Amino acid sequence: MAFRAPTQRAVAAFARKATATPVKTTATTSIRTLSSQATAAASTTSTSSSLSQSAQDAIAREASLPNPDPAEDSASAAMVRDHARYMLATYARPSPVFVRGEGSHLWDLENRKYLDFTSGIAVNGLGHCDPGVARILADQSTTLMHASNLYYNPWTGALSKLLVEKTRETGGMHDAATVFVCNSGSEANEAAIKFARKVGKLRGGDEGGKHEIVSFQGSFHGRTMGSLSATPNPKYQKPFSPMLPGFKYGTYNDVSALNELVTESTCGVIIEPIQGEGGVNVATDEFLTALAKRCREVGAVLIYDEIQCGMSRTGTFWAHSHLPAEAHPDVITTAKALGNGFPIGAAVINGTVSEAMMVGDHGTTFGGNPLACRLAHYTVSRLSDEGLQSEVLAKEKLFRAKFEELQARYPELVSEIRGKGLILGLQLTQDPTPIVQAARERGLLVITCGTNTLRFVPPLTITEEEIAQGLAVLEQAIEATR
């Protein structure tokens, strides 16, 4: 296929640079490629080897694992060395270099296969390289990609209409009225904060008395300055302090503190119904209902950040869809799974907040482009399917059953099981990093969040067989690190 040629040439070039011996295999086979040192030493018995004991131990360990992390003399290491010096160091990455994905699996540069329980951090709800997404991407990219928001196109309005209709139909925000389409979750939250500030001015006067934004400990709303100011985590805030003025922080699920926290000076409150980055913490129905009531009392805009927990990840279209109307927000922010890997974000807004916004109050260059919006329209149509949502809840039971087994087997390690649907957390009593590595080197990708929490956000389309395979690897990884 022609569009794969550049990748194939790049892989071949780096493979030639590396000293590892190429292995011929099919792309659907899980392969362990030994480094050149390991390959040479594998034929030498430990009794006759002149290698140091540490080198022998390393070789034995690599030979015992189905997917050991790429060695220093691998094609992956050669590519990383060539590229890393040009990339701003914002992430600490392990050594595998992923080059292809399909469904619930990824393949790296060494052609090793991994089962993905991360789905790009809750992004690929339909799995990697969904055929429908790929078809639309190819078609729309040769039709119209961008014309700016100075003009109408067929897909911005179509997506907006679909989001409003699906939100209302599925029990979400009952008075959803309009949509602002942007490029990312952080941008959606920035927009929501601006909308709340605008409403605050209209309700509290131009002197700015009603300007405070309330968020909660454990939250993560983004890395731009407004969304970062709503993210009370020193790890993220300290390097860029001081934060923007007018932000207050409360305790998640503390109903008793709401009256003092949310006051007449509050213009907006932003909260994740399930905190993803913070540790898969679930807001209680009581807390969200009380919070919504308090917001109505003081005229504050209530924002539900469903960037990670929305789009049917909990088994309903929105994580708040099961709540009564009095607990519904004024704004919902979304991104991640909205584009299934293509960058797009959105804010779904009720009529009251919509009426406060005037032409020119906010805008975006790329947001709402027809390519992203057509892809998101397809994704929303798929993810809002009731059959898929029922399957998400059935798959949750498989995860929970195994997690309960692990908790019973390792009570000193597994302290709590949290989450809903396919956004789940396994709270550990120690750093989970060794387990993450052990799982990866056995062909399973998992990630962490919060403090010592393993996070599970697989594709919503993952099969029961794949879940069973992955959970078996997870158990092996835990046992290997005990």
Side-chain angles (χ1 to χ4, degrees):
M1 299 173 66
F3 70 92
R4 287 187 180 173
T7 299
Q8 291 171 337
R9 287 195 293 269
V11 170
F14 278 99
R16 286 194 296 272
K17 287 184 180 180
T19 57
T21 303
V23 176
K24 294 183 179 180
T25 182
T26 63
T28 56
T29 305
S30 179
I31 292 296
R32 174 178 59 81
T33 306
L34 293 176
S35 68
S36 58
Q37 181 188 36
T39 304
S43 62
T44 307
T45 65
S46 58
T47 56
S48 60
S49 175
S50 60
L51 295 172
S52 67
Q53 187 60 50
S54 61
Q56 292 183 52
D57 291 343
I59 292 167
R61 175 182 175 280
E62 184 174 328
S64 69
L65 293 170
N67 280 40
D69 282 345
E72 285 299 314
D73 61 351
S74 66
S76 297
M79 178 178 282
V80 168
R81 282 192 297 270
D82 185 64
H83 289 176
R85 65 180 182 270
Y86 301 108
M87 299 168 62
L88 185 66
T90 54
Y91 286 88
R93 299 175 173 93
S95 50
V97 177
F98 293 119
V99 297
R100 191 171 77 85
E102 182 180 339
S104 300
H105 292 92
L106 288 168
W107 285 262
D108 70 6
L109 188 60
E110 317 296 326
N111 204 28
R112 294 175 299 191
K113 184 179 180 182
Y114 299 78
L115 179 58
D116 186 9
F117 273 10
T118 77
S119 62
I121 317 180
V123 167
N124 299 302
L126 297 175
H128 295 283
C129 299
D130 174 77
V133 171
R135 174 181 54 79
I136 290 170
L137 180 62
D139 181 70
Q140 190 62 38
S141 66
T142 59
T143 304
L144 178 65
M145 294 174 61
H146 177 80
S148 90
N149 281 301
L150 298 176
Y151 311 100
Y152 285 102
N153 72 72
W155 290 105
T156 311
L159 172 62
S160 299
K161 179 184 178 186
L162 185 64
L163 281 170
V164 168
E165 290 177 345
K166 290 300 181 182
T167 296
R168 290 177 171 179
E169 290 172 6
T170 57
M173 187 168 66
H174 62 283
D175 53 353
T178 65
V179 176
F180 172 74
V181 185
C182 52
N183 308 287
S184 68
S186 189
E187 286 180 67
N189 283 338
E190 289 281 349
I193 291 168
K194 285 182 68 175
F195 300 162
R197 281 278 173 89
K198 177 68 184 296
V199 171
K201 271 190 174 294
L202 295 176
R203 292 176 177 172
D206 285 336
E207 64 274 10
K210 195 173 187 64
H211 71 283
E212 290 180 348
I213 301 289
V214 169
S215 62
F216 295 88
Q217 299 293 340
S219 65
F220 182 88
H221 298 294
R223 296 179 187 268
T224 51
M225 284 307 293
S227 59
L228 180 61
S229 296
T231 302
N233 186 328
K235 179 175 71 172
Y236 301 124
Q237 288 189 345
K238 188 176 180 180
F240 309 101
S241 61
M243 293 294 101
L244 300 182
F247 285 79
K248 291 173 61 178
Y249 311 125
T251 302
Y252 201 67
N253 280 333
D254 186 354
V255 175
S256 64
L258 288 178
N259 284 354
E260 185 176 346
L261 178 68
V262 182
T263 70
E264 294 292 341
S265 297
T266 306
C267 69
V269 177
I270 184 167
I271 185 170
E272 298 162 275
I274 300 178
Q275 293 181 333
E277 185 70 23
V280 194
N281 305 307
V282 182
T284 66
D285 292 356
E286 177 192 13
F287 181 67
L288 292 177
T289 302
L291 178 61
K293 179 182 178 183
R294 182 57 179 164
C295 286
R296 310 291 185 252
E297 289 172 350
V298 301
V301 173
L302 178 59
I303 304 159
Y304 281 174
D305 177 345
E306 296 220 19
I307 290 165
Q308 187 163 161
C309 62
M311 291 286 131
S312 295
R313 185 152 289 278
T314 62
T316 54
F317 188 61
W318 297 115
H320 75 272
S321 293
H322 68 287
L323 293 174
E326 57 266 28
H328 287 178
D330 301 296
V331 179
I332 308 165
T333 57
T334 182
K336 286 191 179 288
L338 181 61
N340 205 65
F342 196 89
I344 186 171
V348 184
I349 310 155
N350 72 6
T352 302
V353 177
S354 299
E355 290 170 3
M357 299 302 295
M358 299 291 107
V359 171
D361 279 350
H362 195 49
T364 170
T365 296
F366 296 109
N369 70 77
L371 177 56
C373 287
R374 185 178 172 189
L375 285 169
H377 188 280
Y378 170 81
T379 301
V380 170
S381 299
R382 289 275 306 276
L383 293 178
S384 58
D385 178 71
E386 291 183 359
L388 179 143
Q389 293 166 355
S390 296
E391 290 176 1
V392 167
L393 296 176
K395 293 167 186 177
E396 174 193 1
K397 293 179 181 178
L398 299 178
F399 275 97
R400 282 191 175 273
K402 188 61 178 182
F403 290 166
E404 289 167 1
E405 286 183 23
L406 293 173
Q407 190 175 33
R409 183 175 178 184
Y410 304 104
E412 76 291 350
L413 175 65
V414 181
S415 62
E416 189 179 1
I417 302 164
R418 293 195 293 268
K420 186 177 181 181
L422 290 179
I423 175 170
L424 299 169
L426 205 58
Q427 183 60 51
L428 306 184
T429 58
Q430 62 189 48
D431 181 7
T433 302
I435 295 173
V436 172
Q437 179 177 349
R440 184 176 65 245
E441 294 193 313
R442 288 163 174 79
L444 175 69
L445 300 177
V446 293
I447 52 176
T448 63
C449 60
T451 303
N452 298 338
T453 308
L454 283 173
R455 176 171 31 168
F456 301 86
V457 282
L460 304 189
T461 53
I462 192 170
T463 68
E464 293 185 0
E465 181 182 7
E466 289 168 342
I467 292 171
Q469 292 171 350
L471 291 174
V473 174
L474 175 66
E475 186 170 18
Q476 294 168 14
I478 292 175
E479 181 61 31
T481 58
R482 302 309 295 154

Coordinates of all heavy atoms in Angstrom, one line a residue, residues 201-276:
K201 N -19.7 38.3 34.6 CA -19.7 39.7 34.4 C -21.1 40.2 34.2 O -21.6 41.2 34.7 CB -18.9 40.1 33.1 CG -17.4 40.4 33.4 CD -16.8 41.0 32.2 CE -15.3 41.4 32.5 NZ -15.3 42.5 33.4
L202 N -21.9 39.4 33.4 CA -23.3 39.8 33.2 C -24.1 39.7 34.5 O -25.0 40.6 34.7 CB -23.9 38.9 32.1 CG -23.3 39.0 30.7 CD1 -23.9 38.0 29.8 CD2 -23.5 40.4 30.2
R203 N -23.8 38.8 35.3 CA -24.6 38.6 36.5 C -24.1 39.4 37.7 O -24.8 39.8 38.6 CB -24.6 37.1 36.9 CG -25.4 36.3 36.0 CD -25.4 34.8 36.3 NE -26.2 34.0 35.4 CZ -26.2 32.7 35.3 NH1 -25.5 32.0 36.2 NH2 -27.0 32.1 34.5
G204 N -22.8 39.7 37.7 CA -22.2 40.4 38.9 C -21.7 41.8 38.6 O -21.3 42.5 39.5
G205 N -21.8 42.2 37.3 CA -21.4 43.6 37.0 C -20.0 43.7 36.5 O -19.2 42.8 36.7
D206 N -19.7 44.7 35.8 CA -18.4 44.9 35.2 C -17.2 45.1 36.2 O -16.1 45.0 35.8 CB -18.4 46.1 34.2 CG -19.2 45.8 32.9 OD1 -19.2 44.6 32.6 OD2 -19.7 46.7 32.3
E207 N -17.6 45.4 37.4 CA -16.5 45.6 38.4 C -15.8 44.3 38.7 O -14.7 44.4 39.4 CB -17.1 46.3 39.7 CG -18.1 45.4 40.4 CD -19.5 45.6 39.9 OE1 -19.7 46.2 38.8 OE2 -20.4 45.1 40.6
G208 N -16.3 43.2 38.3 CA -15.5 42.0 38.4 C -15.7 41.3 39.8 O -14.9 40.4 40.1
G209 N -16.8 41.6 40.5 CA -17.0 40.9 41.8 C -17.3 39.4 41.7 O -17.0 38.7 42.6
K210 N -17.9 39.0 40.5 CA -18.2 37.6 40.4 C -17.3 37.0 39.3 O -17.6 37.0 38.1 CB -19.7 37.5 39.9 CG -20.3 36.1 40.0 CD -21.8 36.1 39.7 CE -22.4 34.8 40.0 NZ -22.3 34.4 41.4
H211 N -16.1 36.6 39.8 CA -15.1 36.2 38.8 C -14.3 34.9 39.2 O -13.5 34.4 38.5 CB -14.0 37.3 38.7 CG -13.1 37.4 39.9 ND1 -13.5 38.0 41.1 CD2 -11.9 37.0 40.2 CE1 -12.6 38.0 42.0 NE2 -11.6 37.3 41.5
E212 N -14.6 34.4 40.4 CA -13.8 33.2 40.9 C -14.2 31.9 40.2 O -15.4 31.7 40.0 CB -14.0 33.1 42.4 CG -13.3 34.2 43.2 CD -13.5 34.0 44.7 OE1 -14.3 33.2 45.1 OE2 -12.8 34.7 45.4
I213 N -13.2 31.1 39.9 CA -13.4 29.8 39.4 C -13.0 28.8 40.4 O -11.9 28.8 41.0 CB -12.5 29.5 38.1 CG1 -12.8 30.6 37.0 CG2 -12.6 28.1 37.6 CD1 -14.2 30.4 36.4
V214 N -13.9 27.8 40.7 CA -13.6 26.8 41.7 C -13.3 25.5 41.0 O -14.0 25.1 40.1 CB -14.8 26.6 42.6 CG1 -14.7 25.3 43.5 CG2 -15.0 27.8 43.5
S215 N -12.3 24.8 41.5 CA -12.0 23.4 41.0 C -11.6 22.6 42.2 O -11.7 23.1 43.4 CB -10.9 23.4 40.0 OG -9.7 23.9 40.5
F216 N -11.2 21.3 42.0 CA -11.0 20.4 43.2 C -9.7 19.7 43.2 O -9.1 19.5 42.1 CB -12.1 19.4 43.1 CG -13.5 20.1 43.4 CD1 -14.2 20.5 42.3 CD2 -14.0 20.2 44.7 CE1 -15.4 21.2 42.5 CE2 -15.2 20.9 44.9 CZ -15.9 21.3 43.8
Q217 N -9.2 19.4 44.4 CA -8.0 18.7 44.6 C -8.1 17.4 43.8 O -9.1 16.7 43.8 CB -7.7 18.5 46.1 CG -7.5 19.7 46.9 CD -6.3 20.5 46.6 OE1 -5.3 20.0 46.0 NE2 -6.3 21.8 46.9
G218 N -7.0 17.0 43.2 CA -6.9 15.8 42.4 C -7.4 15.9 41.0 O -7.3 15.0 40.2
S219 N -7.8 17.1 40.6 CA -8.2 17.3 39.2 C -7.1 17.5 38.3 O -6.0 17.9 38.7 CB -9.2 18.5 39.2 OG -8.5 19.7 39.5
F220 N -7.4 17.3 37.0 CA -6.5 17.7 35.9 C -7.3 18.2 34.8 O -8.1 17.5 34.2 CB -5.7 16.5 35.4 CG -4.7 16.8 34.4 CD1 -3.4 17.3 34.7 CD2 -5.0 16.8 33.0 CE1 -2.5 17.7 33.7 CE2 -4.1 17.1 32.0 CZ -2.9 17.6 32.3
H221 N -7.1 19.5 34.5 CA -7.9 20.2 33.4 C -7.1 20.6 32.2 O -7.7 21.2 31.3 CB -8.7 21.3 34.0 CG -9.7 20.9 35.1 ND1 -10.8 20.1 34.8 CD2 -9.7 21.1 36.5 CE1 -11.4 19.8 36.0 NE2 -10.8 20.4 36.9
G222 N -5.8 20.5 32.3 CA -5.0 20.9 31.1 C -3.7 21.6 31.5 O -3.5 21.8 32.7
R223 N -2.9 22.0 30.5 CA -1.6 22.6 30.8 C -1.5 24.0 30.2 O -0.5 24.6 30.4 CB -0.6 21.7 30.1 CG -0.5 20.3 30.7 CD 0.6 19.5 30.0 NE 0.6 18.1 30.4 CZ 1.4 17.6 31.4 NH1 2.2 18.4 32.1 NH2 1.4 16.3 31.7
T224 N -2.5 24.5 29.6 CA -2.5 26.0 29.3 C -2.8 26.8 30.5 O -3.4 26.2 31.5 CB -3.6 26.3 28.2 OG1 -4.8 25.7 28.5 CG2 -3.1 25.7 26.8
M225 N -2.5 28.0 30.6 CA -2.5 28.7 31.9 C -3.8 28.8 32.6 O -3.9 28.7 33.8 CB -1.9 30.2 31.7 CG -0.4 30.2 31.5 SD 0.6 29.3 32.8 CE 0.2 30.4 34.2
G226 N -4.9 28.9 31.8 CA -6.2 28.9 32.5 C -6.5 27.6 33.1 O -6.9 27.4 34.2
S227 N -6.4 26.5 32.2 CA -6.8 25.2 32.7 C -5.8 24.7 33.7 O -6.1 23.9 34.6 CB -6.8 24.2 31.5 OG -5.6 24.2 30.8
L228 N -4.5 25.1 33.6 CA -3.5 24.8 34.6 C -3.8 25.4 35.9 O -3.6 24.8 37.0 CB -2.1 25.2 34.1 CG -0.9 24.9 35.0 CD1 -0.8 23.4 35.3 CD2 0.4 25.5 34.5
S229 N -4.3 26.6 35.9 CA -4.7 27.3 37.1 C -5.8 26.6 37.9 O -6.0 26.8 39.1 CB -5.0 28.8 36.9 OG -3.9 29.5 36.3
A230 N -6.6 25.8 37.1 CA -7.7 25.0 37.7 C -7.2 23.6 38.1 O -8.0 22.8 38.5 CB -8.8 25.0 36.7
T231 N -5.9 23.4 37.9 CA -5.4 22.0 38.2 C -4.4 22.1 39.4 O -3.2 22.4 39.3 CB -4.6 21.5 37.0 OG1 -5.5 21.4 35.9 CG2 -4.0 20.1 37.3
P232 N -4.9 22.0 40.7 CA -4.1 22.2 41.9 C -3.1 21.1 42.2 O -3.2 20.5 43.2 CB -5.2 22.4 43.0 CG -6.3 21.5 42.5 CD -6.3 21.6 41.0
N233 N -2.2 20.9 41.3 CA -1.2 19.9 41.5 C 0.2 20.6 41.5 O 0.6 21.1 40.4 CB -1.3 18.8 40.5 CG -0.3 17.7 40.8 OD1 0.8 17.9 41.3 ND2 -0.7 16.5 40.4
P234 N 1.0 20.7 42.6 CA 2.2 21.4 42.5 C 3.2 20.9 41.4 O 4.0 21.7 40.9 CB 2.8 21.1 43.9 CG 1.6 20.8 44.8 CD 0.6 20.1 43.9
K235 N 3.1 19.6 41.1 CA 4.0 19.1 40.1 C 3.8 19.8 38.7 O 4.8 20.1 38.0 CB 3.7 17.6 39.9 CG 4.6 17.0 38.8 CD 4.3 15.5 38.7 CE 3.0 15.1 38.2 NZ 2.8 13.6 37.9
Y236 N 2.6 20.2 38.4 CA 2.3 20.9 37.2 C 2.3 22.4 37.3 O 2.7 23.1 36.4 CB 0.9 20.5 36.7 CG 0.7 19.0 36.4 CD1 -0.3 18.3 37.0 CD2 1.6 18.4 35.6 CE1 -0.4 16.9 36.8 CE2 1.5 17.0 35.3 CZ 0.5 16.3 35.9 OH 0.4 14.9 35.7
Q237 N 1.9 22.9 38.5 CA 1.8 24.4 38.7 C 3.1 25.1 39.0 O 3.4 26.2 38.5 CB 0.8 24.7 39.7 CG -0.7 24.4 39.3 CD -1.7 25.0 40.3 OE1 -1.3 25.3 41.4 NE2 -2.9 25.1 39.9
K238 N 3.9 24.5 39.9 CA 5.1 25.2 40.5 C 6.0 25.7 39.4 O 6.5 26.9 39.6 CB 5.8 24.2 41.4 CG 6.9 25.0 42.2 CD 7.5 24.0 43.3 CE 8.6 24.8 44.0 NZ 9.3 23.9 45.1
P239 N 6.4 25.0 38.4 CA 7.4 25.5 37.4 C 6.9 26.8 36.7 O 7.7 27.5 36.1 CB 7.6 24.4 36.4 CG 7.1 23.1 37.2 CD 6.0 23.6 38.0
F240 N 5.5 27.0 36.7 CA 5.0 28.1 35.9 C 4.2 29.1 36.8 O 3.5 30.0 36.3 CB 4.0 27.6 34.9 CG 4.7 26.5 34.0 CD1 4.4 25.1 34.3 CD2 5.6 26.8 33.1 CE1 5.0 24.2 33.5 CE2 6.2 25.8 32.3 CZ 5.9 24.5 32.5
S241 N 4.4 29.0 38.1 CA 3.8 30.0 39.0 C 4.3 31.4 38.8 O 5.4 31.6 38.3 CB 4.0 29.5 40.5 OG 5.4 29.5 40.8
P242 N 3.5 32.4 39.2 CA 2.2 32.3 39.9 C 1.1 31.9 38.8 O 1.2 32.3 37.7 CB 2.0 33.7 40.4 CG 2.7 34.6 39.5 CD 3.9 33.8 39.1
M243 N 0.1 31.3 39.4 CA -1.1 31.0 38.5 C -1.9 32.2 38.3 O -1.7 33.2 38.9 CB -1.9 29.9 39.2 CG -1.2 28.5 39.3 SD -0.9 27.7 37.7 CE 0.8 28.1 37.4
L244 N -2.9 32.1 37.4 CA -3.8 33.2 37.2 C -4.6 33.5 38.4 O -5.0 32.5 39.2 CB -4.7 32.9 36.0 CG -4.1 32.6 34.7 CD1 -5.1 32.3 33.6 CD2 -3.2 33.7 34.2
P245 N -4.9 34.7 38.7 CA -5.7 35.0 39.9 C -7.2 34.6 39.8 O -7.7 34.4 38.7 CB -5.6 36.5 40.0 CG -5.4 37.0 38.6 CD -4.5 35.9 38.0
G246 N -7.8 34.4 40.9 CA -9.3 34.1 40.9 C -9.6 32.7 40.9 O -10.8 32.3 40.7
F247 N -8.7 31.8 41.2 CA -9.0 30.3 41.3 C -8.9 29.8 42.7 O -8.0 30.2 43.5 CB -8.0 29.5 40.4 CG -8.2 29.7 38.9 CD1 -7.8 30.8 38.2 CD2 -8.9 28.7 38.2 CE1 -8.0 30.9 36.9 CE2 -9.1 28.8 36.9 CZ -8.7 29.9 36.2
K248 N -9.9 29.0 43.1 CA -10.0 28.4 44.4 C -10.2 26.9 44.3 O -10.7 26.4 43.3 CB -11.3 29.0 45.1 CG -11.2 30.4 45.5 CD -12.6 30.9 46.1 CE -13.0 30.1 47.4 NZ -14.2 30.6 47.9
Y249 N -9.7 26.2 45.3 CA -9.7 24.8 45.3 C -10.4 24.2 46.5 O -10.2 24.6 47.6 CB -8.3 24.2 45.2 CG -7.4 24.9 44.2 CD1 -6.2 25.6 44.6 CD2 -7.8 25.0 42.9 CE1 -5.4 26.2 43.6 CE2 -7.0 25.6 41.9 CZ -5.8 26.2 42.3 OH -5.1 26.9 41.3
G250 N -11.2 23.2 46.2 CA -12.0 22.5 47.2 C -11.6 21.0 47.3 O -10.8 20.5 46.5
T251 N -12.2 20.3 48.3 CA -12.0 18.9 48.5 C -13.1 18.1 47.7 O -14.3 18.3 47.9 CB -12.0 18.6 50.0 OG1 -11.0 19.3 50.6 CG2 -11.7 17.1 50.2
Y252 N -12.6 17.2 46.9 CA -13.5 16.4 46.1 C -14.4 15.6 47.0 O -14.0 15.0 48.0 CB -12.6 15.4 45.3 CG -13.3 14.8 44.0 CD1 -13.6 15.6 42.9 CD2 -13.4 13.5 43.9 CE1 -14.1 15.0 41.8 CE2 -13.9 12.8 42.8 CZ -14.3 13.7 41.7 OH -14.8 13.1 40.6
N253 N -15.7 15.5 46.7 CA -16.7 14.7 47.5 C -17.0 15.3 48.9 O -17.6 14.6 49.7 CB -16.3 13.3 47.5 CG -16.7 12.5 46.2 OD1 -17.6 12.9 45.5 ND2 -15.9 11.5 45.9
D254 N -16.6 16.5 49.2 CA -16.9 17.1 50.5 C -18.1 18.0 50.4 O -18.0 19.1 50.1 CB -15.7 17.8 51.0 CG -15.9 18.3 52.5 OD1 -17.0 18.2 53.0 OD2 -14.9 18.9 53.0
V255 N -19.3 17.4 50.7 CA -20.5 18.1 50.5 C -20.6 19.3 51.6 O -21.1 20.4 51.3 CB -21.7 17.2 50.7 CG1 -23.1 18.0 50.7 CG2 -21.8 16.1 49.6
S256 N -20.1 19.0 52.8 CA -20.2 20.0 53.9 C -19.5 21.3 53.6 O -19.8 22.3 54.2 CB -19.7 19.3 55.2 OG -18.3 19.1 55.1
A257 N -18.5 21.3 52.7 CA -17.7 22.5 52.5 C -18.2 23.3 51.3 O -17.7 24.4 51.1 CB -16.2 22.1 52.2
L258 N -19.3 22.9 50.6 CA -19.7 23.6 49.4 C -20.2 25.0 49.6 O -19.9 25.9 48.8 CB -20.8 22.7 48.7 CG -20.3 21.4 48.0 CD1 -21.4 20.7 47.4 CD2 -19.2 21.7 47.0
N259 N -20.9 25.2 50.7 CA -21.5 26.6 50.9 C -20.4 27.6 51.1 O -20.5 28.7 50.6 CB -22.4 26.6 52.1 CG -23.8 25.9 51.8 OD1 -24.0 25.6 50.6 ND2 -24.6 25.8 52.8
E260 N -19.3 27.2 51.8 CA -18.2 28.1 52.0 C -17.3 28.2 50.8 O -16.7 29.3 50.5 CB -17.4 27.7 53.2 CG -16.3 28.6 53.6 CD -15.5 28.2 54.9 OE1 -16.1 27.3 55.6 OE2 -14.4 28.7 55.1
L261 N -17.2 27.2 50.0 CA -16.4 27.1 48.8 C -17.0 27.9 47.6 O -16.3 28.7 47.0 CB -16.1 25.7 48.4 CG -15.3 25.4 47.2 CD1 -13.8 25.9 47.4 CD2 -15.3 24.0 46.8
V262 N -18.2 27.6 47.4 CA -18.9 28.3 46.2 C -19.8 29.4 46.8 O -20.8 29.2 47.5 CB -19.8 27.2 45.5 CG1 -20.5 27.9 44.3 CG2 -18.9 26.0 45.0
T263 N -19.4 30.6 46.4 CA -20.0 31.8 47.0 C -20.6 32.7 45.9 O -20.5 32.4 44.7 CB -19.0 32.6 47.9 OG1 -18.0 33.2 47.0 CG2 -18.3 31.6 48.8
E264 N -21.1 33.9 46.4 CA -21.6 34.8 45.4 C -20.5 35.4 44.5 O -20.8 36.0 43.5 CB -22.3 36.0 46.2 CG -23.5 35.6 47.0 CD -24.7 35.2 46.0 OE1 -24.6 35.6 44.8 OE2 -25.6 34.6 46.5
S265 N -19.2 35.2 44.9 CA -18.1 35.7 44.1 C -17.8 34.6 43.0 O -16.9 34.9 42.1 CB -16.9 36.0 44.9 OG -17.1 37.0 45.8
T266 N -18.4 33.4 43.1 CA -18.0 32.4 42.1 C -18.8 32.5 40.8 O -20.0 32.6 40.8 CB -18.4 31.0 42.8 OG1 -17.8 30.9 44.0 CG2 -17.9 29.9 41.8
C267 N -18.0 32.6 39.7 CA -18.7 32.6 38.4 C -18.8 31.3 37.8 O -19.6 31.0 36.9 CB -18.0 33.6 37.5 SG -16.3 33.1 37.0
G268 N -17.9 30.3 38.2 CA -17.9 29.0 37.6 C -17.2 28.0 38.4 O -16.3 28.3 39.2
V269 N -17.7 26.7 38.3 CA -17.1 25.6 39.0 C -16.8 24.5 37.9 O -17.7 24.2 37.1 CB -18.1 25.0 40.0 CG1 -17.5 23.8 40.7 CG2 -18.4 26.1 41.1
I270 N -15.6 24.0 37.9 CA -15.2 23.0 36.9 C -14.8 21.7 37.7 O -14.1 21.8 38.7 CB -14.1 23.4 36.0 CG1 -13.8 22.4 34.9 CG2 -12.9 23.8 36.8 CD1 -12.9 22.9 33.8
I271 N -15.4 20.6 37.3 CA -15.2 19.3 38.0 C -15.2 18.1 37.0 O -16.0 18.2 36.0 CB -16.2 19.1 39.1 CG1 -15.9 17.8 39.9 CG2 -17.6 19.1 38.6 CD1 -16.7 17.7 41.2
E272 N -14.4 17.1 37.2 CA -14.5 15.9 36.5 C -15.4 14.9 37.3 O -15.1 14.6 38.4 CB -13.1 15.2 36.4 CG -12.0 16.0 35.7 CD -10.6 15.6 36.0 OE1 -10.1 16.0 37.0 OE2 -10.1 14.7 35.2
P273 N -16.4 14.4 36.7 CA -17.3 13.4 37.3 C -16.5 12.2 37.8 O -16.8 11.5 38.8 CB -18.3 13.1 36.3 CG -18.5 14.3 35.5 CD -17.0 14.8 35.4
I274 N -15.4 11.9 37.0 CA -14.4 10.9 37.4 C -13.1 11.5 37.1 O -12.8 11.8 35.9 CB -14.6 9.5 36.6 CG1 -16.0 8.9 36.9 CG2 -13.5 8.5 37.0 CD1 -16.2 7.6 36.1
Q275 N -12.3 11.6 38.1 CA -10.9 12.1 37.9 C -10.0 11.1 37.3 O -9.7 10.1 38.0 CB -10.4 12.6 39.3 CG -11.1 13.8 39.9 CD -10.5 14.3 41.2 OE1 -9.9 13.5 41.9 NE2 -10.6 15.6 41.5
G276 N -9.6 11.3 36.1 CA -8.7 10.3 35.5 C -7.3 10.4 35.9 O -6.7 9.5 36.6

